[in-house]
Amino acid sequence: MAKGLLYVETWPSAPEREAEYHSWYDEVHLPEVVALDGFVSARRLAPADGTGPFVALYEMEADDLPAAVDRLQEAVMRGELRMSDALRTDPMPMMRLMEVTAVHEPTGR
C-alpha cells in the first residue's frame, strides 16, 4: 500500500472572514476528509511570519493515491463535503500529491 501526502495551499476569502475560515477548516473540513477511504490524518499549518497561504497536509495510505484524491474531488463536486464561502476559490486552492519514498526516524530516543 502506497503512502503519501496531499499538500494543499488555501486562503480565507476575505481578511474579515479568517476566523470563520479556520473554524470551518478545523471543525468541518478536516474531519470530513479524513473519514474518506485513503486518508489517514490531517494537519494544518500557518505561515510563521504571517504572510503566505495556510497549508493543509493530508496523510494518505491507499493502493492508488491518485484515485483517492480523485474520490475526494468527486465528493466535493457531488456536495458530499460541506464547503464554505469563507474559503477563497479564485484562484482555486493549490494541491499537490506527493508519494513517500523514504522515512528516517532518529534512533536512541
Side-chain angles (χ1 to χ4, degrees):
M1 184 169 297
K3 294 184 179 188
L5 287 174
L6 181 61
Y7 172 97
V8 182
E9 291 181 358
T10 61
W11 302 79
S13 60
E16 62 273 10
R17 300 201 60 195
E18 187 171 329
E20 180 184 357
Y21 158 84
H22 290 302
S23 177
W24 163 78
Y25 222 122
D26 296 343
E27 298 169 20
V28 176
H29 192 63
L30 295 183
E32 288 182 345
V33 173
V34 298
L36 297 172
D37 286 343
F39 291 85
V40 175
S41 68
R43 69 181 67 195
R44 291 186 61 234
L45 304 135
D49 65 0
T51 63
F54 293 93
V55 172
L57 296 174
Y58 300 93
E59 184 180 356
M60 301 175 66
E61 291 183 10
D63 291 330
D64 185 341
L65 294 172
V69 174
D70 289 345
R71 287 191 300 274
L72 166 65
Q73 293 174 324
E74 291 165 2
V76 169
M77 297 305 290
R78 288 191 304 265
E80 295 171 0
L81 299 182
R82 293 173 285 168
M83 300 306 288
S84 171
D85 59 3
L87 170 70
R88 186 169 85 183
T89 57
D90 186 17
M92 291 296 292
M94 196 284 292
M95 295 175 46
R96 185 152 189 209
L97 177 60
M98 307 297 289
E99 187 169 356
V100 174
T101 60
V103 175
H104 176 77
E105 296 177 1
T107 58
R109 288 190 182 176

Short mmCIF file of all heavy atoms in Angstrom, two decimals, residues 1 6 14-15 26 28 31 35 43 45 52-53 58 63 72 77 81 83 87 90-91 94:
data_model
loop_
_atom_site.label_atom_id
_atom_site.label_comp_id
_atom_site.label_asym_id
_atom_site.label_seq_id
_atom_site.Cartn_x
_atom_site.Cartn_y
_atom_site.Cartn_z
N MET A 1 0.85 -1.18 0.00
CA MET A 1 0.00 0.00 0.00
C MET A 1 0.89 1.24 0.00
O MET A 1 1.81 1.36 0.80
CB MET A 1 -0.91 -0.02 1.23
CG MET A 1 -1.89 1.13 1.22
SD MET A 1 -3.19 0.99 2.46
CE MET A 1 -4.02 -0.47 1.93
N LEU A 6 -1.03 14.68 0.68
CA LEU A 6 -1.68 15.66 -0.19
C LEU A 6 -1.44 17.02 0.46
O LEU A 6 -1.83 17.26 1.59
CB LEU A 6 -3.18 15.38 -0.30
CG LEU A 6 -3.95 16.34 -1.20
CD1 LEU A 6 -3.45 16.28 -2.65
CD2 LEU A 6 -5.45 16.05 -1.14
N ALA A 14 -11.69 36.46 2.60
CA ALA A 14 -11.51 37.88 2.94
C ALA A 14 -10.90 37.95 4.34
O ALA A 14 -11.14 37.06 5.17
CB ALA A 14 -12.84 38.62 2.91
N PRO A 15 -10.10 38.98 4.60
CA PRO A 15 -9.48 39.09 5.93
C PRO A 15 -10.48 39.03 7.08
O PRO A 15 -10.22 38.39 8.11
CB PRO A 15 -8.76 40.44 5.89
CG PRO A 15 -8.51 40.69 4.44
CD PRO A 15 -9.69 40.07 3.72
N ASP A 26 -11.07 23.51 10.45
CA ASP A 26 -10.69 22.62 11.55
C ASP A 26 -11.83 21.74 12.04
O ASP A 26 -11.62 20.57 12.38
CB ASP A 26 -10.15 23.44 12.72
CG ASP A 26 -8.87 24.18 12.38
OD1 ASP A 26 -8.21 23.84 11.38
OD2 ASP A 26 -8.53 25.13 13.12
N VAL A 28 -15.00 21.19 10.46
CA VAL A 28 -15.85 20.55 9.46
C VAL A 28 -15.01 19.82 8.40
O VAL A 28 -15.15 18.62 8.20
CB VAL A 28 -16.78 21.59 8.78
CG1 VAL A 28 -17.60 20.95 7.67
CG2 VAL A 28 -17.69 22.25 9.81
N PRO A 31 -12.24 16.82 9.46
CA PRO A 31 -12.89 15.56 9.83
C PRO A 31 -13.60 14.87 8.66
O PRO A 31 -13.57 13.64 8.57
CB PRO A 31 -13.90 15.97 10.91
CG PRO A 31 -13.35 17.24 11.48
CD PRO A 31 -12.69 17.93 10.32
N ALA A 35 -12.36 11.08 6.99
CA ALA A 35 -13.34 9.99 7.01
C ALA A 35 -13.39 9.26 5.67
O ALA A 35 -13.95 8.16 5.59
CB ALA A 35 -14.73 10.54 7.36
N ARG A 43 -3.34 17.68 9.13
CA ARG A 43 -2.85 18.76 9.99
C ARG A 43 -2.83 20.04 9.17
O ARG A 43 -2.73 20.00 7.95
CB ARG A 43 -1.48 18.45 10.58
CG ARG A 43 -0.36 18.44 9.56
CD ARG A 43 0.98 18.11 10.16
NE ARG A 43 0.96 16.74 10.61
CZ ARG A 43 1.84 16.20 11.42
NH1 ARG A 43 2.84 16.92 11.87
NH2 ARG A 43 1.76 14.97 11.79
N LEU A 45 -1.19 24.08 8.87
CA LEU A 45 -0.05 24.91 9.24
C LEU A 45 -0.34 26.35 8.83
O LEU A 45 -0.95 26.60 7.79
CB LEU A 45 1.21 24.42 8.53
CG LEU A 45 1.52 22.94 8.81
CD1 LEU A 45 1.90 22.25 7.53
CD2 LEU A 45 2.59 22.83 9.85
N GLY A 52 1.60 34.68 3.35
CA GLY A 52 1.51 33.47 2.53
C GLY A 52 0.29 32.66 2.86
O GLY A 52 -0.48 32.99 3.76
N PRO A 53 0.13 31.55 2.15
CA PRO A 53 -1.08 30.73 2.33
C PRO A 53 -1.02 29.89 3.60
O PRO A 53 0.05 29.68 4.18
CB PRO A 53 -1.05 29.82 1.09
CG PRO A 53 0.41 29.66 0.80
CD PRO A 53 1.02 31.00 1.13
N TYR A 58 -2.49 16.25 4.28
CA TYR A 58 -3.32 15.07 4.50
C TYR A 58 -2.44 13.84 4.30
O TYR A 58 -1.90 13.63 3.22
CB TYR A 58 -4.48 15.03 3.50
CG TYR A 58 -5.39 16.22 3.61
CD1 TYR A 58 -5.20 17.34 2.82
CD2 TYR A 58 -6.44 16.23 4.51
CE1 TYR A 58 -6.03 18.45 2.91
CE2 TYR A 58 -7.28 17.33 4.62
CZ TYR A 58 -7.07 18.43 3.82
OH TYR A 58 -7.90 19.52 3.92
N ASP A 63 -3.89 1.94 -2.13
CA ASP A 63 -3.27 1.22 -3.23
C ASP A 63 -3.03 2.14 -4.41
O ASP A 63 -2.07 1.96 -5.14
CB ASP A 63 -4.14 0.03 -3.65
CG ASP A 63 -4.17 -1.07 -2.58
OD1 ASP A 63 -3.18 -1.21 -1.84
OD2 ASP A 63 -5.20 -1.75 -2.48
N LEU A 72 -11.84 12.23 -3.48
CA LEU A 72 -12.02 13.44 -2.68
C LEU A 72 -12.65 14.54 -3.55
O LEU A 72 -13.63 15.16 -3.15
CB LEU A 72 -10.68 13.91 -2.11
CG LEU A 72 -10.63 15.32 -1.53
CD1 LEU A 72 -11.51 15.45 -0.31
CD2 LEU A 72 -9.20 15.71 -1.22
N MET A 77 -17.46 17.73 -5.57
CA MET A 77 -18.34 18.09 -6.69
C MET A 77 -19.77 17.60 -6.47
O MET A 77 -20.72 18.26 -6.89
CB MET A 77 -17.79 17.52 -8.00
CG MET A 77 -16.42 18.09 -8.39
SD MET A 77 -16.39 19.89 -8.48
CE MET A 77 -17.39 20.14 -9.92
N LEU A 81 -19.13 16.84 0.71
CA LEU A 81 -18.33 17.54 1.71
C LEU A 81 -18.87 18.96 1.81
O LEU A 81 -19.10 19.62 0.80
CB LEU A 81 -16.85 17.57 1.31
CG LEU A 81 -16.16 16.22 1.16
CD1 LEU A 81 -14.69 16.42 0.82
CD2 LEU A 81 -16.29 15.38 2.40
N MET A 83 -18.66 22.60 2.00
CA MET A 83 -17.69 23.63 1.70
C MET A 83 -18.16 24.95 2.31
O MET A 83 -19.31 25.07 2.72
CB MET A 83 -17.49 23.75 0.19
CG MET A 83 -17.00 22.45 -0.46
SD MET A 83 -15.51 21.74 0.28
CE MET A 83 -14.28 22.90 -0.28
N LEU A 87 -13.75 30.14 2.29
CA LEU A 87 -12.56 29.64 1.60
C LEU A 87 -12.46 30.34 0.25
O LEU A 87 -13.42 30.33 -0.53
CB LEU A 87 -12.69 28.13 1.39
CG LEU A 87 -11.66 27.47 0.48
CD1 LEU A 87 -10.29 27.44 1.14
CD2 LEU A 87 -12.12 26.07 0.11
N ASP A 90 -10.91 31.63 -5.88
CA ASP A 90 -10.40 32.29 -7.08
C ASP A 90 -9.14 33.05 -6.72
O ASP A 90 -9.25 34.14 -6.12
CB ASP A 90 -11.45 33.22 -7.67
CG ASP A 90 -11.02 33.80 -9.01
OD1 ASP A 90 -10.08 33.24 -9.63
OD2 ASP A 90 -11.60 34.81 -9.44
N PRO A 91 -7.98 32.49 -6.98
CA PRO A 91 -7.76 31.23 -7.69
C PRO A 91 -8.07 30.02 -6.80
O PRO A 91 -8.15 30.14 -5.58
CB PRO A 91 -6.28 31.27 -8.04
CG PRO A 91 -5.66 32.11 -6.96
CD PRO A 91 -6.73 33.13 -6.61
N MET A 94 -4.27 25.43 -4.30
CA MET A 94 -3.22 24.69 -4.97
C MET A 94 -3.02 23.36 -4.26
O MET A 94 -2.84 23.32 -3.04
CB MET A 94 -1.91 25.50 -4.93
CG MET A 94 -0.84 25.03 -5.91
SD MET A 94 0.07 23.53 -5.46
CE MET A 94 0.99 24.09 -4.06
#
